[in-house]
């Protein structure tokens, strides 16, 4: 990739070259070239990730942290190397603050269960926002049911931006935790999380950031953000499914009880008492998804080879192009028009249900997501039962947006 | 686009646009709710009986073209039928939309055969079957809302 660019020209991004790293993109679906625009659901994987997982199972497969044999050492080294890559990529101060989990959902549940149980009392408050994914709503509702804590919700505007002016009144001395999405999966809104973290810390609240959609679109510097927890999923970050990361500040993780009990998370077990292992192993009970973690490490290597400034330009170009192409179609309404957005376009069409749109696009080889995007309260807020969503990754091209727009014309014709 | 044409046929598009028997009945003998929260499809089916036959049937609600057209054509098919006959049509219809592509629909289904293309789209079976399961629930006098989201490969 070209990293040589002047201050005045846009950094060059060779999308064709990047596409050639992703084998799945070169196939026919229903007789048409695949147009994959469902990246917010899951991203595709480069050769290097696929081959790394393959190599692990062919040459290194063994359980970690216990065997004295060669394969176990290799597997342990590769697993811990992946942790170190994640630590470096996200600028996390210690590798012991990187906990491998199944994904963002498990990361949030871990915090709700472990931090929540030991820190929240009746009357304490948890603050979320109106644009959260169900995985950042339901764990807190469960916690509130158990603890008597109260769930508060920061509203959003019609454009799909957080009502930041209401944040100071919603934060108070009973606020224990603020849990907010970095980038909305359904709208693409990029939230001002640094400001939210700053204000939350001022009242003594801890902050969890749901970073599932953010990490694939931008570099995330966790020390700079100063959040207390950051959750992300490997499969949205061009890595395998079933692996994710919870970052937690060491000082907080140390005070938290284990999430699950089992092997690897203990130091000593007797029937009268068990003592727990050091961080991060205290939170990694049982045999983890070793292959997944190593595959995610390979995805991080791949992302390190990319010019992120060029990616940002390319994705913003795709977003602008898509919003113009789709926004000019009669009867089509864009849902979520925040001033700061990632390359996600959510829309509805007059008199046409999103599922019918999805089926007709599928016939044209186009993969989009239709439905409520696991954000039912957000759909209610935007007064739509569901939307159609095209979500772009850096390997998408303008030509694919053209195919999408032309197919949406066809949708309109069918239903005219 | 051949398969698609089979799914979105003129008759289906027409019933989607101008659904028949599309109203809330004020004094039904039976009423049931159908709700697929993942899709957002939400309907009510109303039935009235006279001399052991369905004398009036209607539906209301929101949904995709497939679910709306299916509900609309179902109401037309059920008028004047006995409970047993309605059950019988339900089974034949259900067999058709969950069957193998290319199978000839039961000739007694008449116009409902336009839904034979649904079996090519496993994720849309639940849309076509929602009104029918709701109708069955109304016949059975069930109180709880019906969902068809476990049908097909959703």
């Amino acid at each position: 990739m070209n990293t040589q660019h002047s201050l005045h020209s846009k950094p060059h991004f060779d999308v064709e070259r990047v596409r050639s790293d992703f084998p799945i993109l070169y196939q026919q679906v229903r007789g048409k070239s695949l147009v994959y625009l469902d990246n917010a659901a899951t991203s595709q994987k480069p050769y290097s990730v696929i081959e790394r997982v393959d190599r692990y199972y062919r040459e290194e497969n063994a359980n970690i942290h216990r065997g004295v044999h060669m394969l176990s050492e290799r597997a342990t080294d590769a697993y811990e190397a992946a942790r170190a890559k994640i630590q470096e990529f996200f600028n996390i101060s210690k590798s012991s603050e990187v906990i491998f989990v199944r994904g963002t959902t498990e990361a949030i549940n871990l915090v709700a269960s472990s931090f929540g149980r030991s820190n929240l009392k009746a009357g304490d408050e948890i603050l979320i926002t109106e644009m959260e994914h169900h995985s950042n709503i339901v764990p807190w509702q469960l916690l509130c049911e158990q603890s008597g804590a109260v769930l508060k919700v920061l509203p959003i505007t019609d454009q799909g931006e957080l009502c930041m002016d209401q944040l100071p009144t919603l934060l108070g001395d009973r606020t224990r935790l603020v849990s907010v999405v970095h980038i909305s999966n359904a709208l693409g809104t990029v939230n001002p999380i640094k400001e939210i973290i700053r204000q939350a810390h001022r009242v003594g609240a801890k902050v969890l950031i749901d970073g599932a959609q953010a990490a694939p679109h931008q570099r995330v510097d966790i020390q700079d953000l100063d959040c207390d927890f950051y959750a992300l999923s490997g499969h949205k970050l061009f890595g395998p499914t079933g692996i994710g990361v919870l970052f937690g500040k060491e000082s907080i993780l140390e005070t938290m009880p284990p999430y699950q009990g089992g092997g690897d998370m203990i130091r000593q077990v007797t029937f009268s008492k068990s003592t727990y292992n050091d961080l991060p192993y205290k939170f990694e009970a049982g045999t983890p998804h070793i292959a997944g973690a190593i595959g995610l490490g390979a995805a991080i290597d791949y992302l390190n080879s990319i010019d992120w400034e060029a990616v940002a330009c390319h994705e913003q170009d795709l977003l602008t192009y898509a919003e113009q192409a789709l926004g000019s179609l009669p009867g089509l309404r864009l849902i979520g028009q925040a001033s700061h957005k990632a390359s996600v376009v959510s829309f509805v069409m007059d008199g046409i249900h999103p599922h019918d749109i999805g089926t007709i696009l599928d016939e044209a080889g186009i993969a989009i997501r239709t439905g409520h995007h696991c954000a039912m309260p957000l759909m209610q807020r935007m007064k739509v039962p569901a939307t159609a969503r095209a979500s772009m990754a850096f390997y998408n091209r303008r030509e694919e947006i053209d195919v999408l727009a032309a197919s949406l014309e066809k949708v309109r014709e069918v239903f005219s | 686009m051949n398969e698609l044409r089979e799914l979105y046929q003129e008759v289906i598009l027409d019933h989607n646009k101008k659904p028949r028997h599309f109203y809330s009945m004020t004094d039904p003998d039976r009423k049931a709710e159908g709700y697929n929260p993942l899709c957002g499809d939400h309907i009510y089916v109303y039935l009235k009986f006279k001399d052991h036959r369905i004398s009036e049937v209607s539906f209301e609600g929101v949904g995709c073209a497939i679910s709306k057209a299916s509900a609309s054509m179902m109401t037309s098919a059920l008028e004047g039928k006995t409970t047993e006959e309605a059950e019988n049509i339900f089974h034949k219809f259900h067999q058709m939309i969950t069957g193998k592509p290319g199978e000839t629909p039961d000739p007694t289904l008449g116009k409902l055969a336009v839904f034979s293309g649904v079996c090519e789209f496993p994720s849309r079976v639940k849309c076509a079957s929602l009104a029918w399961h709701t109708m069955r629930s109304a016949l059975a006098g069930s109180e709880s809302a019906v969902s068809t989201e476990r049908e097909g490969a959703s």
Side-chain angles (χ1 to χ4, degrees):
Chain A
M1 237 144 295
N2 186 357
T3 52
Q4 300 291 308
H5 41 79
S6 77
L7 285 172
H8 301 292
S9 67
K10 279 186 180 175
H12 176 68
F13 186 74
D14 188 348
V15 67
E16 295 304 331
R17 205 198 105 209
V18 169
R19 288 179 74 78
S20 70
D21 295 330
F22 292 80
I24 205 171
L25 299 177
Y26 295 86
Q27 66 174 298
Q28 303 276 303
V29 166
R30 300 191 188 277
K32 307 276 164 47
S33 294
L34 169 68
V35 173
Y36 187 77
L37 297 173
D38 196 16
N39 294 286
T42 196
S43 61
Q44 300 304 346
K45 325 300 174 200
Y47 278 110
S48 57
V49 169
I50 299 165
E51 283 163 4
R52 186 65 191 86
V53 172
D54 181 87
R55 180 154 69 86
Y56 165 73
Y57 281 124
R58 285 176 190 277
E59 299 174 10
E60 300 163 337
N61 180 50
N63 213 327
I64 55 170
H65 296 146
R66 49 199 78 158
V68 292
H69 56 80
M70 188 61 187
L71 283 190
S72 177
E73 269 177 37
R74 273 193 215 154
T76 304
D77 286 350
Y79 181 78
E80 291 304 328
R83 196 192 309 274
K85 286 172 190 178
I86 289 156
Q87 177 203 349
E88 193 190 341
F89 187 73
F90 291 102
N91 192 25
I92 292 167
S93 66
K94 294 175 178 167
S95 66
S96 58
E97 295 178 321
V98 177
I99 299 161
F100 281 121
V101 290
R102 280 189 296 156
T104 306
T105 298
E106 188 174 51
I108 297 172
N109 276 280
L110 190 161
V111 176
S113 176
S114 172
F115 176 84
R117 256 187 300 149
S118 52
N119 286 280
L120 273 94
K121 300 185 295 291
D124 284 345
E125 292 171 6
I126 300 162
L127 178 63
I128 60 172
T129 84
E130 214 172 3
M131 69 170 81
E132 299 307 321
H133 188 282
H134 295 161
S135 62
N136 200 20
I137 302 173
V138 183
W140 309 119
Q141 287 175 328
L142 292 171
L143 175 59
C144 286
E145 275 171 27
Q146 290 157 6
S147 65
V150 181
L151 190 62
K152 299 260 180 173
V153 182
L154 179 66
I156 62 168
T157 65
D158 291 342
Q159 277 67 47
E161 293 177 328
L162 295 176
C163 296
M164 287 297 285
D165 55 327
Q166 296 187 37
L167 182 61
T169 53
L170 282 164
L171 286 171
D173 51 9
R174 295 306 302 264
T175 314
R176 293 287 168 269
L177 190 82
V178 176
S179 192
V180 53
V181 68
H182 194 164
I183 294 181
S184 159
N185 70 311
L187 305 176
T189 310
V190 181
N191 287 320
I193 54 165
K194 212 170 165 181
E195 175 60 20
I196 295 169
I197 293 162
R198 201 181 60 82
Q199 290 193 34
H201 281 169
R202 218 157 46 191
V203 298
K206 305 296 183 212
V207 184
L208 185 153
I209 302 295
D210 166 2
Q213 300 292 338
H217 294 292
Q218 61 183 62
R219 290 301 299 259
V220 175
D221 183 329
I222 285 185
Q223 286 189 74
D224 178 59
L225 285 174
D226 194 32
C227 55
D228 302 287
F229 301 102
Y230 197 96
L232 60 95
S233 296
H235 73 97
K236 295 190 200 287
L237 199 56
F238 315 98
T241 56
I243 190 74
V245 171
L246 172 68
F247 154 81
K249 278 183 184 165
E250 185 182 54
S251 57
I252 302 170
L253 292 175
E254 290 285 11
T255 67
M256 286 162 52
Y259 171 52
Q260 293 180 329
D264 230 23
M265 53 75 69
I266 44 82
R267 177 164 296 131
Q268 197 179 2
V269 176
T270 67
F271 282 118
S272 56
K273 189 172 169 55
S274 298
T275 51
Y276 308 126
N277 205 340
D278 295 331
L279 291 174
Y281 311 111
K282 183 170 91 175
F283 292 105
E284 292 181 2
T287 299
H289 186 8
I290 305 166
I294 293 169
L296 179 56
I300 298 290
D301 287 340
Y302 182 82
L303 295 174
N304 273 323
S305 75
I306 277 180
D307 177 353
W308 282 83
E309 202 185 330
V311 163
C313 269
H314 175 67
E315 288 192 356
Q316 283 303 306
D317 175 70
L318 283 176
L319 175 64
T320 310
Y321 190 75
E323 287 192 333
Q324 278 169 2
L326 270 54
S328 64
L329 294 172
L332 188 147
R333 186 160 59 93
L334 299 174
I335 304 293
Q337 297 202 274
S339 57
H340 193 190
K341 267 184 72 171
S343 46
V344 172
V345 182
S346 225
F347 59 94
V348 292
M349 292 172 87
D350 282 347
I352 310 174
H353 193 281
H355 276 43
D356 294 318
I357 299 174
T359 295
I360 295 177
L361 293 186
D362 173 51
E363 206 61 23
I366 305 169
I368 62 156
R369 171 81 194 270
T370 61
H372 55 53
H373 316 293
C374 296
M376 287 172 105
L378 175 62
M379 295 294 114
Q380 285 153 23
R381 167 64 183 83
M382 303 313 264
K383 299 186 181 68
V384 288
T387 76
R389 178 191 69 188
S391 53
M392 283 83 78
F394 51 64
Y395 46 62
N396 286 120
R397 304 174 291 183
R398 277 188 175 206
E399 293 89 319
E400 293 175 298
I401 308 299
D402 293 336
V403 176
L404 172 66
S407 300
L408 288 172
E409 280 280 10
K410 208 169 286 165
V411 170
R412 211 163 50 85
E413 278 167 30
V414 170
F415 285 91
S416 64
Chain B
M1 300 280 277
N2 272 341
E3 276 174 12
L4 194 63
R5 244 180 238 124
E6 259 180 52
L7 183 60
Y8 291 101
Q9 289 189 44
E10 274 309 314
V11 186
I12 290 177
L13 294 170
D14 178 61
H15 275 266
N16 170 53
K17 219 181 203 177
K18 292 174 290 188
R20 325 295 199 259
H21 311 102
F22 188 58
Y23 59 90
S24 160
M25 213 182 278
T26 46
D27 54 346
D29 293 321
R30 291 279 169 79
K31 171 189 169 181
E33 179 184 7
Y35 182 38
N36 282 344
L38 287 176
C39 307
D41 290 0
H42 197 178
I43 67 162
Y44 289 88
V45 171
Y46 306 91
L47 296 169
K48 211 182 268 188
F49 297 92
K50 199 178 174 186
D51 301 331
H52 304 292
R53 287 185 182 274
I54 296 169
S55 58
E56 193 181 344
V57 47
S58 74
F59 79 104
E60 61 162 347
V62 290
C64 64
I66 303 301
S67 73
K68 221 163 153 188
S70 173
S72 173
M73 292 185 70
M74 176 189 81
T75 56
S76 300
L78 291 181
E79 269 182 321
K81 298 288 188 290
T82 64
T83 304
E84 294 71 35
E85 286 166 342
E87 280 279 349
N88 194 18
I89 301 173
F90 168 87
H91 285 296
K92 285 176 178 167
F93 183 83
H94 196 257
Q95 205 165 22
M96 173 178 70
I97 61 171
T98 56
K100 287 195 179 72
E103 280 177 356
T104 314
D106 190 302
T108 59
L109 283 171
K111 287 177 187 170
L112 292 170
V114 296
F115 288 99
S116 61
V118 170
C119 64
E120 304 254 7
F121 298 83
S123 67
R124 306 305 299 275
V125 169
K126 62 179 183 291
C127 313
S129 69
L130 181 62
W132 292 84
H133 281 284
T134 310
M135 176 274 291
R136 242 186 134 206
S137 163
L139 286 179
S142 171
E143 297 287 316
S144 55
V146 173
S147 175
T148 57
E149 283 179 339
R150 295 263 159 231
E151 280 213 295
S154 56

